[in-house]
PDB file of all heavy atoms in Angstrom:
ATOM      1  N   MET A  13      30.885 -32.301 -53.064  1.00  0.00           N
ATOM      2  CA  MET A  13      32.108 -32.765 -53.693  1.00  0.00           C
ATOM      3  C   MET A  13      33.028 -33.446 -52.679  1.00  0.00           C
ATOM      4  O   MET A  13      33.614 -34.467 -52.973  1.00  0.00           O
ATOM      5  CB  MET A  13      32.831 -31.599 -54.343  1.00  0.00           C
ATOM      6  CG  MET A  13      34.111 -32.009 -54.984  1.00  0.00           C
ATOM      7  SD  MET A  13      34.412 -30.985 -56.395  1.00  0.00           S
ATOM      8  CE  MET A  13      36.085 -31.369 -56.698  1.00  0.00           C
ATOM      9  N   SER A  14      33.148 -32.897 -51.487  1.00  0.00           N
ATOM     10  CA  SER A  14      33.997 -33.492 -50.468  1.00  0.00           C
ATOM     11  C   SER A  14      33.502 -34.875 -50.081  1.00  0.00           C
ATOM     12  O   SER A  14      34.282 -35.814 -49.961  1.00  0.00           O
ATOM     13  CB  SER A  14      34.034 -32.598 -49.222  1.00  0.00           C
ATOM     14  OG  SER A  14      34.596 -31.363 -49.519  1.00  0.00           O
ATOM     15  N   ARG A  15      32.210 -34.994 -49.899  1.00  0.00           N
ATOM     16  CA  ARG A  15      31.647 -36.271 -49.462  1.00  0.00           C
ATOM     17  C   ARG A  15      31.854 -37.362 -50.512  1.00  0.00           C
ATOM     18  O   ARG A  15      32.049 -38.526 -50.173  1.00  0.00           O
ATOM     19  CB  ARG A  15      30.173 -36.096 -49.135  1.00  0.00           C
ATOM     20  CG  ARG A  15      29.550 -37.351 -48.583  1.00  0.00           C
ATOM     21  CD  ARG A  15      28.193 -37.073 -48.025  1.00  0.00           C
ATOM     22  NE  ARG A  15      27.497 -38.280 -47.683  1.00  0.00           N
ATOM     23  CZ  ARG A  15      26.487 -38.345 -46.860  1.00  0.00           C
ATOM     24  NH1 ARG A  15      26.039 -37.241 -46.289  1.00  0.00           N
ATOM     25  NH2 ARG A  15      25.884 -39.476 -46.594  1.00  0.00           N
ATOM     26  N   ALA A  16      31.846 -37.010 -51.785  1.00  0.00           N
ATOM     27  CA  ALA A  16      32.013 -38.004 -52.847  1.00  0.00           C
ATOM     28  C   ALA A  16      33.347 -38.737 -52.722  1.00  0.00           C
ATOM     29  O   ALA A  16      33.406 -39.958 -52.904  1.00  0.00           O
ATOM     30  CB  ALA A  16      31.893 -37.338 -54.214  1.00  0.00           C
ATOM     31  N   ALA A  17      34.409 -38.032 -52.409  1.00  0.00           N
ATOM     32  CA  ALA A  17      35.722 -38.673 -52.251  1.00  0.00           C
ATOM     33  C   ALA A  17      35.709 -39.631 -51.063  1.00  0.00           C
ATOM     34  O   ALA A  17      36.272 -40.730 -51.133  1.00  0.00           O
ATOM     35  CB  ALA A  17      36.813 -37.615 -52.074  1.00  0.00           C
ATOM     36  N   VAL A  18      35.061 -39.238 -49.985  1.00  0.00           N
ATOM     37  CA  VAL A  18      35.004 -40.088 -48.792  1.00  0.00           C
ATOM     38  C   VAL A  18      34.118 -41.308 -49.050  1.00  0.00           C
ATOM     39  O   VAL A  18      34.450 -42.419 -48.634  1.00  0.00           O
ATOM     40  CB  VAL A  18      34.555 -39.275 -47.557  1.00  0.00           C
ATOM     41  CG1 VAL A  18      34.425 -40.164 -46.333  1.00  0.00           C
ATOM     42  CG2 VAL A  18      35.531 -38.126 -47.295  1.00  0.00           C
ATOM     43  N   GLU A  19      33.019 -41.113 -49.749  1.00  0.00           N
ATOM     44  CA  GLU A  19      32.176 -42.257 -50.102  1.00  0.00           C
ATOM     45  C   GLU A  19      32.941 -43.238 -50.987  1.00  0.00           C
ATOM     46  O   GLU A  19      32.847 -44.457 -50.792  1.00  0.00           O
ATOM     47  CB  GLU A  19      30.903 -41.783 -50.804  1.00  0.00           C
ATOM     48  CG  GLU A  19      29.930 -41.103 -49.862  1.00  0.00           C
ATOM     49  CD  GLU A  19      28.717 -40.522 -50.573  1.00  0.00           C
ATOM     50  OE1 GLU A  19      28.810 -40.196 -51.784  1.00  0.00           O
ATOM     51  OE2 GLU A  19      27.675 -40.388 -49.908  1.00  0.00           O
ATOM     52  N   GLU A  80      30.019 -32.584 -42.280  1.00  0.00           N
ATOM     53  CA  GLU A  80      30.708 -32.066 -43.453  1.00  0.00           C
ATOM     54  C   GLU A  80      31.007 -30.577 -43.327  1.00  0.00           C
ATOM     55  O   GLU A  80      30.196 -29.807 -42.830  1.00  0.00           O
ATOM     56  CB  GLU A  80      29.850 -32.298 -44.690  1.00  0.00           C
ATOM     57  CG  GLU A  80      29.556 -33.773 -44.928  1.00  0.00           C
ATOM     58  CD  GLU A  80      28.604 -34.001 -46.075  1.00  0.00           C
ATOM     59  OE1 GLU A  80      28.931 -33.581 -47.201  1.00  0.00           O
ATOM     60  OE2 GLU A  80      27.537 -34.590 -45.831  1.00  0.00           O
ATOM     61  N   ALA A  82      33.675 -27.444 -45.592  1.00  0.00           N
ATOM     62  CA  ALA A  82      34.195 -27.159 -46.930  1.00  0.00           C
ATOM     63  C   ALA A  82      35.349 -28.078 -47.323  1.00  0.00           C
ATOM     64  O   ALA A  82      35.357 -28.646 -48.407  1.00  0.00           O
ATOM     65  CB  ALA A  82      34.627 -25.707 -47.020  1.00  0.00           C
ATOM     66  N   VAL A  85      35.651 -33.727 -43.754  1.00  0.00           N
ATOM     67  CA  VAL A  85      34.508 -34.591 -43.486  1.00  0.00           C
ATOM     68  C   VAL A  85      34.874 -35.444 -42.275  1.00  0.00           C
ATOM     69  O   VAL A  85      35.983 -35.981 -42.198  1.00  0.00           O
ATOM     70  CB  VAL A  85      34.179 -35.505 -44.692  1.00  0.00           C
ATOM     71  CG1 VAL A  85      33.090 -36.508 -44.338  1.00  0.00           C
ATOM     72  CG2 VAL A  85      33.776 -34.686 -45.909  1.00  0.00           C
ATOM     73  N   LEU A 111      40.481 -32.615 -46.934  1.00  0.00           N
ATOM     74  CA  LEU A 111      40.427 -32.700 -48.387  1.00  0.00           C
ATOM     75  C   LEU A 111      41.100 -31.499 -49.041  1.00  0.00           C
ATOM     76  O   LEU A 111      41.116 -30.401 -48.482  1.00  0.00           O
ATOM     77  CB  LEU A 111      38.966 -32.805 -48.831  1.00  0.00           C
ATOM     78  CG  LEU A 111      38.321 -34.074 -48.283  1.00  0.00           C
ATOM     79  CD1 LEU A 111      37.192 -33.734 -47.368  1.00  0.00           C
ATOM     80  CD2 LEU A 111      37.901 -34.987 -49.386  1.00  0.00           C
ATOM     81  N   ARG A 112      41.636 -31.761 -50.211  1.00  0.00           N
ATOM     82  CA  ARG A 112      42.221 -30.696 -51.020  1.00  0.00           C
ATOM     83  C   ARG A 112      41.837 -30.945 -52.470  1.00  0.00           C
ATOM     84  O   ARG A 112      42.101 -32.029 -53.007  1.00  0.00           O
ATOM     85  CB  ARG A 112      43.746 -30.671 -50.863  1.00  0.00           C
ATOM     86  CG  ARG A 112      44.381 -29.491 -51.538  1.00  0.00           C
ATOM     87  CD  ARG A 112      45.831 -29.243 -51.168  1.00  0.00           C
ATOM     88  NE  ARG A 112      46.740 -30.351 -51.214  1.00  0.00           N
ATOM     89  CZ  ARG A 112      47.190 -31.114 -50.203  1.00  0.00           C
ATOM     90  NH1 ARG A 112      46.859 -30.973 -49.061  1.00  0.00           N
ATOM     91  NH2 ARG A 112      48.015 -32.069 -50.333  1.00  0.00           N
ATOM     92  N   GLU A 113      41.167 -29.977 -53.053  1.00  0.00           N
ATOM     93  CA  GLU A 113      40.723 -30.051 -54.454  1.00  0.00           C
ATOM     94  C   GLU A 113      39.946 -31.335 -54.740  1.00  0.00           C
ATOM     95  O   GLU A 113      40.139 -31.989 -55.760  1.00  0.00           O
ATOM     96  CB  GLU A 113      41.923 -29.898 -55.393  1.00  0.00           C
ATOM     97  CG  GLU A 113      42.607 -28.547 -55.240  1.00  0.00           C
ATOM     98  CD  GLU A 113      43.861 -28.413 -56.092  1.00  0.00           C
ATOM     99  OE1 GLU A 113      44.235 -29.385 -56.804  1.00  0.00           O
ATOM    100  OE2 GLU A 113      44.465 -27.337 -56.045  1.00  0.00           O
ATOM    101  N   GLY A 114      39.078 -31.703 -53.810  1.00  0.00           N
ATOM    102  CA  GLY A 114      38.204 -32.850 -53.995  1.00  0.00           C
ATOM    103  C   GLY A 114      38.826 -34.203 -53.724  1.00  0.00           C
ATOM    104  O   GLY A 114      38.187 -35.231 -53.927  1.00  0.00           O
ATOM    105  N   ARG A 115      40.071 -34.223 -53.258  1.00  0.00           N
ATOM    106  CA  ARG A 115      40.742 -35.491 -52.938  1.00  0.00           C
ATOM    107  C   ARG A 115      41.119 -35.523 -51.466  1.00  0.00           C
ATOM    108  O   ARG A 115      41.276 -34.490 -50.828  1.00  0.00           O
ATOM    109  CB  ARG A 115      42.004 -35.666 -53.779  1.00  0.00           C
ATOM    110  CG  ARG A 115      41.684 -35.910 -55.231  1.00  0.00           C
ATOM    111  CD  ARG A 115      42.931 -36.213 -55.990  1.00  0.00           C
ATOM    112  NE  ARG A 115      42.591 -36.477 -57.364  1.00  0.00           N
ATOM    113  CZ  ARG A 115      43.185 -37.372 -58.104  1.00  0.00           C
ATOM    114  NH1 ARG A 115      44.166 -38.094 -57.605  1.00  0.00           N
ATOM    115  NH2 ARG A 115      42.829 -37.546 -59.340  1.00  0.00           N
TER     116      ARG A 115
END
Side-chain angles (χ1 to χ4, degrees):
M13 179 148 166
S14 297
R15 184 169 171 160
V18 177
E19 288 175 334
E80 300 175 59
V85 173
L111 298 117
R112 187 167 49 260
E113 298 176 359
R115 290 186 178 217

